[in-house]
Amino acid sequence: VALFTLVWTMDPGVLQSKRGMLSHAEVEAFCAEQRTCQVGGGIFLPLKWCRTCLIFRPLRASHCSRCDVCVLRFDHHCEFMGACIGGRNYRLFVCFIHSLCVLGSFTLITGVAAAYHAMPPPGTDPTGVCATLRPPSSRRYRSPHSSDRQWANDLMCWCATSCAHAPLHPAWLLLILVFSGFVWLPFARKHGWQILANRTTNECTKLHAEDTAKGVASPYSRGPWRNLVEACTAPRPPSALAPRDVLSCDEAAAAERVLAERGKGIKKE
């Protein structure tokens, strides 16, 4: 819960926008301009111009269409949390995903252990929950392979007994198993691989889909070990937001123009 709250409320790395601050001529001039930035190994990558925020985005930054902002080292927009995952909260997000896997495994192990200790001794049925289950021999049309189906009756008897005696209903254990084994564990494995390869979800799905399929290394990768150390120990970039600062006259006028374009306007005091 603490990790979820931190990821949900933390600034993911929103970049300052220049909407409403540039003239049409300046916007056209910046659109025609080309800028590059050098990464490790002497590779020059282009900086993309954001037509919405009117800025040159840093490398690995992208515009989130849901939040309508550019995010530093944008990974993805998490619908489960309702927030962007970027350079400032990605580490906590990975910790949150792995904590869900640990919590699911712990709940499964303790739930099965508690159910096992609460079950009656073998061969006894104090409540008679298995008495209504007919053995294969009592069926009207007995199959020659009916003895092989005894496991089905044993399974049904175990389920009925566990529902009657276990402190945790088997349906909850099945639900936890499905979410942990088929949702959170593959998700954690995917992000673990991305950390070792120094890739983001956005790069894997959009920017470098062809390179990923061909097995081409990321231009930001410095080896699995250094990528892991960087992901765990790299300092968090400072936030570009200052929610307590007072807008200047130019910034207030720019904000009025942006909100007027959206049809909202500003209520003046």
Side-chain angles (χ1 to χ4, degrees):
V1 173
L3 289 173
F4 178 89
T5 305
L6 287 174
V7 175
W8 179 45
T9 57
M10 182 177 294
D11 169 29
V14 177
L15 298 174
Q16 288 185 349
S17 172
K18 291 185 179 180
R19 283 180 279 189
M21 300 181 182
L22 301 178
S23 63
H24 181 72
E26 291 176 329
V27 172
E28 293 298 329
F30 281 123
C31 288
E33 185 179 350
Q34 295 183 355
R35 297 183 182 181
T36 59
C37 184
Q38 183 179 2
V39 296
I43 303 176
F44 288 87
L45 298 178
L47 297 179
K48 293 189 176 182
W49 170 259
C50 180
R51 294 181 176 269
T52 304
C53 297
L54 304 181
I55 59 172
F56 278 99
R57 293 196 297 256
L59 293 177
R60 316 191 80 175
S62 183
H63 188 86
C64 177
S65 58
R66 298 296 302 274
C67 300
D68 197 23
V69 292
C70 285
V71 179
L72 186 67
R73 201 184 184 277
F74 177 75
D75 190 84
H76 70 286
H77 182 90
C78 184
E79 297 291 347
F80 176 72
M81 292 187 171
C84 281
I85 306 301
R88 300 192 74 251
N89 61 353
Y90 180 73
R91 187 184 307 169
L92 294 175
F93 175 77
V94 173
C95 293
F96 169 69
I97 295 298
H98 284 79
S99 69
L100 286 180
C101 297
V102 173
L103 177 62
S105 303
F106 174 79
T107 307
L108 282 176
I109 294 175
T110 54
V112 172
Y116 175 79
H117 288 289
M119 296 286 283
T124 62
D125 189 13
T127 58
V129 293
C130 298
T132 58
L133 298 178
R134 295 183 300 173
S137 58
S138 63
R139 295 177 181 173
R140 184 174 181 181
Y141 301 100
R142 184 177 179 182
S143 172
H145 303 287
S146 59
S147 59
D148 298 337
R149 301 177 184 176
Q150 185 63 34
W151 65 270
N153 274 21
D154 296 338
L155 179 61
M156 294 175 63
C157 181
W158 181 85
C159 291
T161 307
S162 60
C163 290
H165 300 283
L168 188 64
H169 198 279
W172 287 109
L173 294 177
L174 181 61
L175 183 65
I176 296 172
L177 176 62
V178 170
F179 271 91
S180 299
F182 298 98
V183 178
W184 301 122
L185 190 60
F187 203 45
R189 176 181 174 273
K190 172 188 174 183
H191 282 279
W193 173 84
Q194 290 180 179
I195 288 176
L196 295 179
N198 204 343
R199 291 182 182 270
T200 62
T201 303
N202 184 59
E203 293 171 350
C204 291
T205 55
K206 294 182 180 180
L207 303 180
H208 304 291
E210 298 180 358
D211 293 344
T212 304
K214 296 178 182 178
V216 179
S218 170
Y220 310 101
S221 177
R222 300 187 300 170
W225 174 249
R226 290 187 177 181
N227 294 337
L228 180 62
V229 172
E230 177 184 351
C232 296
T233 62
R236 189 170 57 191
S239 177
L241 300 180
R244 297 186 178 182
D245 286 355
V246 180
L247 293 178
S248 62
C249 296
D250 295 338
E251 292 173 339
E256 288 183 2
R257 289 193 294 268
V258 171
L259 293 180
E261 292 176 358
R262 297 183 180 181
K264 297 181 180 180
I266 294 180
K267 181 180 179 181
K268 297 185 178 181
E269 299 178 355

